[in-house]
Amino acid sequence: MLMICYSLYLIHNLVLLRYHLLDCYYIEKSNRMDYVNTRRQAASMRKCLFDQGYLDEQFYQLEDLQDDASPNFVEEVVTLFFRDSLRLMANIDQSLDKCAKDFNKLDVYMQQLKGSCTSIGASKMKTECTVFRDYCRDENIEGCMRSFQKLKREHSVLRQKLESYFQLLRQAGPIECATRPSK
Amino acid sequence: MADRITALLVECSVLVRCLYYQILTNLNFEVVSVQYAHEALELLQTDNDFDFIIIDAGRPDINGEVIMSLKDLAPHMKIIVSTFNIGLADGLLAAGADAFIIKPAQPEDIVDTLIELGIIG
């Protein structure tokens, strides 16, 4: 009688263990699918940034520089870019607000901004910087103002898109988290 | 163990400085970076043991006189001018700079330049 009870007890525990293992398997499978989907979304977003001309091959160079010692290098550089570009755009705004327009000063600021855009591969912004500088050369203040408004829009759009992209990457986590531990 | 190649980086843009620093450290160089020319000149007065310097040509404080001062303080150090605009490099090359690279320089551009200057084999 005792043996029968003990056997039943063992069988019960085995059944519980089986369900627990199945739960772990399905949770891990679900997590893996979430990871794969998030990575896929990030890859698609990245592709759009290039296809739509927001980024150029310089961004690939940044990605190539990222390694295990600097796993967040690209995001750090992009963050630096947006901080730097906001400062430069504030300077340009102030200069455009003044009654006496200093086209040389505007051109210097825009040259710096264009340099920053080139450094991270911000292609549309870089193009608009060139347009602005052409207007500076022609001392066309209306052209400068129109171009600057467009530049600010491009900046805002790029910032939103890149922030979303990096958020997805952070959600997905580092690539090695997705691999099954070796037996 | 062979000494590592040492580089001095002078770049006012924190973004470009960060990029170049990453490129140079990935190439296994020891890197000291400063923002302005006067900081580099002050540093070289006490420590001039750099194999090369990459210096930003776009700043108004970088001119022929600075290049000559760098040469005086560290005669063996190769001077590489970094610029968005080739025209800005001409005067500095005439003053004694050894080479120029176009921003944003890629790792292979820097390696090719260092090979031409005989800093790496």
Side-chain angles (χ1 to χ4, degrees):
Chain A
M1 187 66 184
L2 199 60
M3 283 300 294
I4 292 169
C5 288
Y6 185 67
S7 302
L8 284 172
Y9 170 75
L10 276 178
I11 290 168
H12 173 73
N13 279 342
L14 278 170
V15 168
L16 282 179
L17 180 62
R18 180 181 178 273
Y19 280 118
H20 177 69
L21 287 172
L22 273 175
D23 279 346
C24 286
Y25 170 73
Y26 285 118
I27 287 169
E28 194 183 340
K29 191 173 177 184
S30 168
N31 287 344
R32 185 163 171 76
M33 282 171 62
D34 284 345
Y35 166 82
V36 167
N37 286 337
T38 308
R39 279 272 156 191
R40 212 173 269 159
Q41 277 179 49
S44 172
M45 201 177 272
R46 180 182 172 277
K47 187 174 182 303
C48 279
L49 284 166
F50 284 99
D51 291 347
Q52 291 169 5
Y54 288 101
L55 295 176
D56 62 28
E57 60 278 358
Q58 177 61 22
F59 195 81
Y60 293 134
Q61 304 295 339
L62 296 187
E63 291 176 325
D64 283 346
L65 287 172
Q66 185 160 295
D67 57 16
D68 291 341
S70 317
N72 302 311
F73 176 72
V74 179
E75 188 176 357
E76 285 165 8
V77 168
V78 167
T79 303
L80 278 174
F81 166 73
F82 283 115
R83 197 184 305 162
D84 200 37
S85 56
L86 278 174
R87 177 186 59 83
L88 287 167
M89 285 165 65
N91 289 342
I92 295 168
D93 242 329
Q94 275 182 8
S95 294
L96 285 170
D97 273 345
K98 288 183 180 159
C99 294
K101 310 297 180 202
D102 185 342
F103 288 101
N104 283 334
K105 191 185 260 188
L106 284 169
D107 186 63
V108 165
Y109 286 141
M110 194 51 76
Q111 186 182 25
Q112 289 174 24
L113 180 57
K114 184 180 172 185
S116 288
C117 294
T118 307
S119 295
I120 73 146
S123 181
K124 286 193 179 190
M125 281 190 64
K126 186 173 74 174
T127 301
E128 200 55 44
C129 289
T130 303
V131 170
F132 184 99
R133 294 187 72 200
D134 288 342
Y135 283 128
C136 276
R137 203 167 32 247
D138 298 338
E139 296 194 356
N140 179 343
I141 194 60
E142 283 90 17
C144 283
M145 285 180 152
R146 271 197 315 272
S147 173
F148 188 56
Q149 291 311 310
K150 188 170 177 201
L151 186 60
K152 285 202 278 193
R153 285 194 300 272
E154 294 291 355
H155 181 271
S156 175
V157 167
L158 181 63
R159 188 177 188 179
Q160 279 170 17
K161 286 181 181 290
L162 283 173
E163 278 177 357
S164 301
Y165 169 64
F166 286 119
Q167 192 171 5
L168 269 179
L169 284 183
R170 281 195 295 274
Q171 245 173 278
I175 292 174
E176 55 268 19
C177 285
T179 58
R180 287 175 182 272
S182 53
K183 288 181 184 177
Chain B
M1 191 166 27
D3 289 336
R4 283 167 73 187
I5 291 172
T6 51
L8 178 55
L9 175 57
V10 185
E11 173 57 61
C12 64
S13 160
V14 64
L15 174 60
V16 176
R17 197 162 67 242
C18 182
L19 265 176
Y20 279 359
Y21 187 88
Q22 184 74 359
I23 290 174
L24 295 173
T25 50
N26 279 4
L27 291 170
N28 206 31
F29 298 154
E30 243 178 72
V31 185
V32 173
S33 65
V34 298
Q35 205 171 348
Y36 300 112
H38 71 86
E39 292 174 299
L41 292 170
E42 281 163 24
L43 175 63
L44 288 170
Q45 280 169 15
T46 52
D47 177 10
N48 69 351
D49 192 21
F50 291 94
D51 294 285
F52 67 96
I53 180 172
I54 295 180
I55 186 162
D56 173 16
R59 295 269 314 162
D61 60 331
I62 310 285
N63 51 36
E65 270 182 43
V66 167
I67 300 297
M68 288 192 285
S69 299
L70 290 171
K71 282 245 171 259
D72 285 339
L73 288 168
H76 62 280
M77 179 179 72
K78 298 294 184 187
I79 301 173
I80 302 171
V81 162
S82 165
T83 178
F84 287 113
N85 180 347
I86 294 176
L88 290 175
D90 287 344
L92 302 179
L93 290 168
D98 298 290
F100 72 91
I101 51 178
I102 302 294
K103 288 188 202 184
Q106 307 307 321
E108 52 271 20
D109 299 331
I110 294 177
V111 167
D112 287 345
T113 303
L114 293 176
I115 289 174
E116 279 174 23
L117 293 175
I119 295 170
I120 57 178

